[in-house]
Amino acid sequence: DSSYKEGTTNSTCSLYISPCTNSKILRKVENSTKVYISSTAIIKNKKWFEITVPCEKNENNRGWIEENNLNLSAIYIGGKNGL
């Protein structure tokens, strides 16, 4: 599990069904979108975050993005503050 609870995208990026760039793309996530983080994975030396994108329809709104597409929030699970 991730130490972070939320973040924002730093560019428009793809939301993948699994933590791999050749997996199916569920949707595009726009730049500066607030997302909620559920877990992390390291695949082939790249860190991925499993995220949920808040939207009206809960359809194709949960998937994986690479770490370099995400600005992590200073809010940690467990109440610790700071980056």
Side-chain angles (χ1 to χ4, degrees), residues 2-69:
S2 172
S3 296
Y4 296 96
K5 292 197 290 189
E6 59 189 50
T8 55
T9 55
N10 58 25
S11 62
T12 298
C13 59
S14 298
L15 182 68
Y16 293 94
I17 197 166
S18 63
C20 181
T21 54
N22 64 358
S23 68
K24 181 181 176 184
I25 296 173
L26 297 171
R27 65 185 293 174
K28 292 289 184 188
V29 181
E30 297 298 320
N31 183 36
S32 299
T33 300
K34 183 177 181 177
V35 299
Y36 299 99
I37 299 167
S38 16
S39 64
T40 61
I42 297 176
I43 308 293
K44 295 184 180 179
N45 296 319
K46 289 186 180 181
K47 191 169 188 176
W48 289 79
F49 287 88
E50 184 180 26
I51 62 152
T52 301
V53 180
C55 59
E56 289 183 23
K57 289 184 176 181
N58 286 333
E59 193 173 286
N60 294 329
N61 69 326
R62 185 174 182 150
W64 294 85
I65 63 173
E66 289 183 81
E67 178 180 39
N68 62 343
N69 293 313

